[in-house]
């Protein structure tokens, strides 16, 4: 008991919750005074076998022992009372102020107080209150990026220093001082467009302030010194000068103009000699042709002058002669075209047909097919006369000579061949680097033009088989070719959606006809001399006026691509188009209204031709058939007075 007194403790015995509920063993006063949350009272239930622990915290014990915690001396008095307790006859110890407890349990309880108190292994762990979690530090507020608002009239507020950024950063540091916002994506795009427009405007202003040479030769020389192409394809003098101006403005903005110009001028001054400076290059540049080409150009010029004079004389006579009624003549021709009906249909080959052509007198028809075989047919019976074999690949087109009984075929084997009507090959024209597309004879009958997928068209001499002209100019494959009825001009069309008009007497490209939005597949000159028709994959046929150098009319011709166009060869009063929509259509050349639709093919119509007097039209198709369309009243044909 003395050891118990050395460590101040309270010994208390009472029944919990109405008595008999359990026995309170000891109270640790030090823990009680320190306000610890650990249990300060330990005890066990009445049943020692169960060893159920009773733990009381400071707050639970305060109500029970509030009257006995005055001073430490009271602990001594309590202990002395326990020592002076009397022993009765039944050997029981009596404590006056405290409930009766046995000595054995007391000794058993005090022993753990001296030694290190250990919770019995069978008792559950004490219910320790969970510690209050320390409050987390607030997350730092991420300041959004604040962009200055756009000023009015398109002016942008910019800053060349970092002071604005520092002010923005300090304003973001204090939370809640100013309202933070973010510019939307749409506003950002608008701002970028405005910045780009502003840069372009400044570039144009800077370019306008630069001194640019006005002489085209000086402009070319300046471009050469700057390491740029001196000319681009189809570029005119003013366009070249504007290109130099923008280039100089760009270099000036980058701070490289003076250095670059000085370096080039120094190099040229050091490398050039007086003799070289005197030699001036003449532009536009050209490639010298052969003597045979020169002679061919002379022949073409002589031929075209005579033909054009006859055409103009005939046109003046029709205009001045009161007996000539042009409208009545056109109406009669259109009436004949409107009465075209299917006259004959014949299987032309085992493979799809790709081209057809009438002879100059209209008595023979030539066809070619993807089998590589060409055939001659009599008209109007459409009976096979002969077969032309020689190509190793599919045949792409066929054409009769306008002056004699010769015909030419084009093939995917990169060659063209000249044939007679007996079926023997007379010439083979080799030189193209890719497969051929369309071919055409010059009106004089002395020259043959071929269009190819190697982006060129070539002119050949029929008599010698020599290649006279290799003409470039299209950026993609050349598909169609046609010659003016006077013989002075040639028109080519290709997959670059362009049609070009060439002067055969000088070799120049005099017109570039832009308007089609897809490849152009067919081209044809009108006999009147100033109209040109083109058809392409955009399903339209365009009429061009060569005098005005622009598109005169756009015909929404078909529901599929236009594969071929042909004017009536005598006067050009109507135009015929064929299409992959399985039809061919006749159009008036006076107002370009539809006159007749020729329906009957069961597949794509690939080519057509019109006989000289316009009374018969031939079409060929992928359905392997040849169809002849003739006027109903051929027996009442009226003779027209022509020169």
């Amino acid at each position: 008991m003395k050891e118990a007194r050395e460590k101040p403790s309270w010994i208390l015995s009472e029944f919990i919750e109405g008595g008999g509920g359990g026995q309170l063993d000891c109270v640790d006063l030090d823990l009680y005074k320190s306000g610890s949350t650990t249990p300060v009272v330990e005890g066990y239930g009445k049943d020692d076998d169960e060893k159920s622990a009773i733990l009381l915290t400071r707050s639970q014990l305060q109500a029970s022992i509030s009257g006995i915690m005055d001073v430490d001396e009271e602990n001594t008095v309590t202990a002395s009372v326990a020592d002076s307790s009397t022993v009765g006859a039944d050997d029981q110890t009596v404590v006056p102020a405290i409930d009766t407890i046995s000595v054995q349990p007391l000794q058993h309880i005090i022993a753990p107080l001296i030694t290190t108190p250990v919770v019995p292994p069978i008792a559950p762990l004490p219910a320790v209150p969970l510690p209050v979690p320390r409050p987390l530090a607030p997350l730092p507020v991420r300041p959004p990026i604040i962009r200055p608002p756009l000023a009015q009239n398109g002016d942008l507020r910019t800053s060349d220093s970092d002071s604005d950024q520092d002010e923005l950063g300090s304003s973001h540091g204090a939370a809640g001082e100013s309202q933070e916002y973010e510019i939307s994506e749409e506003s950002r795009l608008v701002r970028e467009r405005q910045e780009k427009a502003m840069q372009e405007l400044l570039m144009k202003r800077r370019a306008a302030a630069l001194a640019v040479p006005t002489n085209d030769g000086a402009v070319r020389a300046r471009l050469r010194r700057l390491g740029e192409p001196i000319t681009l394809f189809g570029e005119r003098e003013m366009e070249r000068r504007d290109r130099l101006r923008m280039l100089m403005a760009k270099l000036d903005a980058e701070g490289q103009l003076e250095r670059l110009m000085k370096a080039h001028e120094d190099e040229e001054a050091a490398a050039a000699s007086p003799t070289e400076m005197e030699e001036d290059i003449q532009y536009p540049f050209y490639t010298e042709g052969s003597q045979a080409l020169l002679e061919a150009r002379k022949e073409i010029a002589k031929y075209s002058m005579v033909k054009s004079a006859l055409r103009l004389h005939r046109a003046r006579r029709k205009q001045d002669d009161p007996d000539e009624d042009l409208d009545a003549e056109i109406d009669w021709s259109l009436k004949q075209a409107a009465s075209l009906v299917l006259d004959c249909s014949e299987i032309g080959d085992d493979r799809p047909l790709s081209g057809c052509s009438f002879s100059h007198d209209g008595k023979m028809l030539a066809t070619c097919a993807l089998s590589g075989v060409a055939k001659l047919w009599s008209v109007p019976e459409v009976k096979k006369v002969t077969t032309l074999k020689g190509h190793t690949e599919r045949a792409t087109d066929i054409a009769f000579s306008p002056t004699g009984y010769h015909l030419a075929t084009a093939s995917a084997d990169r060659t063209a061949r000249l044939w007679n009507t007996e079926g023997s090959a007379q010439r083979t024209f080799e030189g193209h680097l890719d497969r051929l597309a369309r071919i055409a004879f010059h009106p004089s009958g002395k020259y043959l033009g071929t269009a190819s997928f190697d982006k060129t068209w070539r002119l050949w001499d029929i008599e010698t088989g020599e290649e006279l002209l290799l003409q470039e100019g299209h950026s993609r494959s050349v598909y169609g070719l046609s010659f003016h009825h006077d013989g002075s001009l040639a028109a080519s069309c290709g997959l670059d959606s362009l049609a070009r008009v060439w002067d055969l007497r000088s070799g120049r490209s005099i017109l570039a006809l832009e308007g089609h939005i897809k490849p152009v597949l067919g081209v044809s000159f009108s006999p009147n001399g100033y109209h040109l028709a083109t058809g392409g994959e955009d399903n339209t046929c365009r009429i061009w006026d060569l005098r005005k150098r622009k598109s005169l009319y756009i015909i929404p011709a078909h529901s599929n691509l236009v594969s071929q166009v042909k004017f009536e060869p005598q006067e050009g009063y109507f135009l015929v188009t064929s299409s992959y929509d399985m039809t061919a259509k006749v159009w008036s050349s006076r107002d370009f209204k539809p006159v007749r639709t020729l329906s009957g093919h069961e597949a794509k119509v690939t080519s057509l031709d019109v006989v000289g007097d316009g009374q018969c039209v031939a079409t060929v198709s992928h359905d392997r058939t040849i169809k002849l369309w003739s006027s109903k009243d051929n027996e009442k044909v009226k003779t027209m007075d022509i020169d």
Side-chain angles (χ1 to χ4, degrees), residues 34-48:
S34 65
S36 174
T37 58
T38 58
V40 298
V41 177
E42 296 180 355
Y44 300 96
K46 287 198 305 181
D47 191 355
D48 292 338

Side-chain angles (χ1 to χ4, degrees), residues 200 203-216 218-220 222-223 226 228-232 234-251:
E200 292 178 355
M203 182 70 71
K204 290 181 180 179
R205 288 180 178 176
R206 188 180 291 110
L210 293 174
V212 182
T214 56
N215 182 271
D216 188 58
V219 171
R220 293 172 184 268
R222 181 71 61 85
L223 287 171
L226 292 176
E228 293 292 325
I230 61 174
T231 184
L232 300 178
E235 187 179 48
R236 299 182 181 179
E237 288 80 1
M238 292 303 298
E239 296 172 349
R240 188 179 301 112
R241 187 167 181 264
D242 292 340
R243 180 164 63 91
L244 175 61
R245 183 190 301 277
M246 296 306 297
L247 178 63
M248 293 175 62
K250 180 180 179 182
L251 293 177

